[in-house]
Amino acid sequence: MNTSLLSPLMQLLNKVKVTISSFHHLKVGAFLLCLCGMSGTLMAQELTAMSAWVNQDGSTLYINSINAQGELTGSYINRAAGFACQNSPYPVNGWVFGTAISFSTKWLNSVESCNSITSWSGFYINTGGQGKISTLWQLVVNGSSSPSQILKGQDVFSQTSAIENKSLSLKP
């Protein structure tokens, strides 16, 4: 074997290795920079407690609290045509994970029972300063025995306002 060719070949391979290594670090750096930029955007798009959301049918979701683990509580007032249990608040429980959201209500309160449960699952997005929650929902009636009996639909909620945390006590 001719060793006089081996040395220049090794030098060339080392240069290629350095170039590939530098390119790899450049790609990783760009990826991390992009990821940091995205996480900053996602952080700005988180849901907040004490907010009200109205869907295309006029129904309102009130988010009262979201704890550190992402557990959501609130209430829902149904105004959708063709459904009972209207114009009265029903308790809501659910979860928030970044921009993902799910919540459910059992249609039972001191006023009325609709013998059913509805669950919504979707995501929050903020476009042009307007918050929206886009969801798919499923409603199941007590006594159902087949998946074909589960009603399904889609709701898009738009943020309407913040809720003031008021107290019944009078301020001095």
Side-chain angles (χ1 to χ4, degrees), residues 41-172:
T41 302
L42 292 177
M43 294 302 281
Q45 293 184 356
E46 289 185 357
L47 285 165
T48 58
M50 303 308 291
S51 57
W53 303 81
V54 176
N55 72 11
Q56 70 281 352
D57 295 320
S59 298
T60 306
L61 166 67
Y62 294 97
I63 299 176
N64 296 336
S65 67
I66 302 171
N67 70 18
Q69 291 74 38
E71 189 173 8
L72 173 149
T73 62
S75 62
Y76 192 90
I77 298 177
N78 176 40
R79 295 185 185 92
F83 291 89
C85 289
Q86 298 249 341
N87 300 312
S88 180
Y90 290 84
V92 164
N93 293 296
W95 295 96
V96 173
F97 188 70
T99 60
I101 182 172
S102 68
F103 56 94
S104 299
T105 190
K106 177 179 174 182
W107 298 103
L108 173 66
N109 67 13
S110 61
V111 177
E112 184 175 17
S113 173
C114 280
N115 202 35
S116 58
I117 295 172
T118 302
S119 295
W120 292 259
S121 188
F123 59 90
Y124 167 79
I125 189 165
N126 187 332
T127 55
Q130 175 63 43
K132 291 197 182 298
I133 300 173
S134 182
T135 64
L136 298 175
W137 58 262
Q138 293 185 320
L139 182 147
V140 64
V141 176
N142 183 23
S144 295
S145 59
S146 168
S148 64
Q149 295 173 314
I150 299 172
L151 300 176
K152 300 172 181 123
Q154 181 176 346
D155 281 329
V156 176
F157 296 85
S158 297
Q159 189 168 9
T160 61
S161 62
I163 301 170
E164 286 186 40
N165 198 5
K166 296 184 178 180
S167 172
L168 292 176
S169 65
L170 295 174
K171 293 183 179 180

